Amino acid sequence: MLPDPLKKFIDLFSSLPGIGPRQSVRLGYYLVNQGKAAIDELAKGVAGLGTLSNCTHCFRIAKAGARGLCPVCADPQRIQNLVAIVEKDTDVMSLEQAKKYRGTYLVLGDLAKDGFLSPQQKLRLNFLKSRVKQFPDGKLEEMIVALNPTSYGDIQAALIIEELKPFAKKITRLGRGLPTGGEIEFADEETLGGAIDNRI
């Protein structure tokens, strides 16, 4: 019933996170109705993703420059011995948009909810350890474990902190508390407890 190109599009796009078969059908018909120029532009955008790779230092996806470094890791103005450990590339984007952080990153990749680090994540932590050993005193000035404040994020953070304790002079986590504009009356216990613990 469906033309083969549309069927193939639906099969491919429905396997993407957050997009199911129905959404893929709608997207397919929408693109066909936009015309060939819009489809060609989208195809160029998708093909451009093939030029990206993981940074050799922080493992975030970027258009790597010399030595395979992303723009953050290659920037001499960034504080190299200050590292924020994050779960995803989108976490890096959020921290960069806040314009308060001047260090570098280590992107672990999606954390499992079982409380264990994957072999790839362990390799990334080991790479960070080997990098840190090359610093003059063999330690980071500070390591920020910037994982989501969820139950499994807390478990993973505890494991990471234990493993990397010998490699940093100071280990911190992002502060927690009430959002701006939030009301104490409606805060859950965990958020309110974090606000009290991290009071300024």
Side-chain angles (χ1 to χ4, degrees):
M1 182 168 157
L2 289 171
D4 285 343
L6 188 55
K7 192 173 177 190
K8 183 169 175 83
F9 174 89
I10 291 164
D11 289 343
L12 289 170
F13 271 71
S14 62
S15 67
L16 296 173
I19 300 178
R22 285 185 185 179
Q23 185 71 10
S24 297
V25 169
R26 282 194 285 266
L27 282 171
Y29 279 117
Y30 171 81
L31 287 168
V32 170
N33 287 324
Q34 293 302 301
K36 188 174 181 329
I39 293 169
D40 289 345
E41 193 63 27
L42 179 64
K44 283 183 201 168
V46 172
L49 296 176
T51 66
L52 302 177
S53 60
N54 290 93
C55 173
T56 57
H57 275 189
C58 71
F59 301 100
R60 70 185 274 245
I61 296 170
K63 182 93 171 169
R67 298 178 293 139
L69 299 179
C70 71
V72 170
C73 290
D75 184 351
Q77 301 300 312
R78 300 301 287 233
I79 305 165
Q80 295 296 317
N81 62 358
L82 170 62
V83 174
I85 297 177
V86 299
E87 180 179 358
K88 301 174 287 209
D89 290 87
T90 50
D91 297 334
V92 174
M93 287 173 52
S94 296
L95 288 168
E96 286 297 294
Q97 286 169 356
K99 294 182 171 45
K100 295 278 184 185
Y101 179 70
R102 296 297 305 151
T104 61
Y105 298 92
L106 177 74
V107 179
L108 285 177
D110 290 335
L111 295 171
K113 294 188 179 181
D114 61 6
F116 294 102
L117 295 170
S118 72
Q120 182 188 45
Q121 290 165 337
K122 288 178 182 175
L123 281 172
R124 289 181 179 190
L125 289 175
N126 286 336
F127 178 79
L128 177 62
K129 289 177 193 176
S130 65
R131 260 190 71 211
V132 169
K133 287 176 185 173
Q134 296 169 9
F135 290 151
D137 55 1
K139 288 192 175 201
L140 295 170
E141 279 301 314
E142 183 179 358
M143 178 179 66
I144 303 169
V145 181
L147 301 182
N148 289 321
T150 60
S151 298
Y152 76 92
D154 289 343
I155 292 168
Q156 302 281 12
L159 290 171
I160 291 165
I161 289 168
E162 190 60 36
E163 188 164 337
L164 297 179
K165 209 184 282 184
F167 298 91
K169 294 177 185 175
K170 180 179 178 184
I171 299 177
T172 58
R173 293 213 48 204
L174 294 179
R176 299 184 194 190
L178 295 170
T180 302
E183 295 185 32
I184 294 171
E185 176 185 359
F186 301 113
D188 62 82
E189 291 174 14
E190 194 173 336
T191 300
L192 200 49
I196 293 167
D197 290 341
N198 298 296
R199 62 191 184 277
I200 52 173

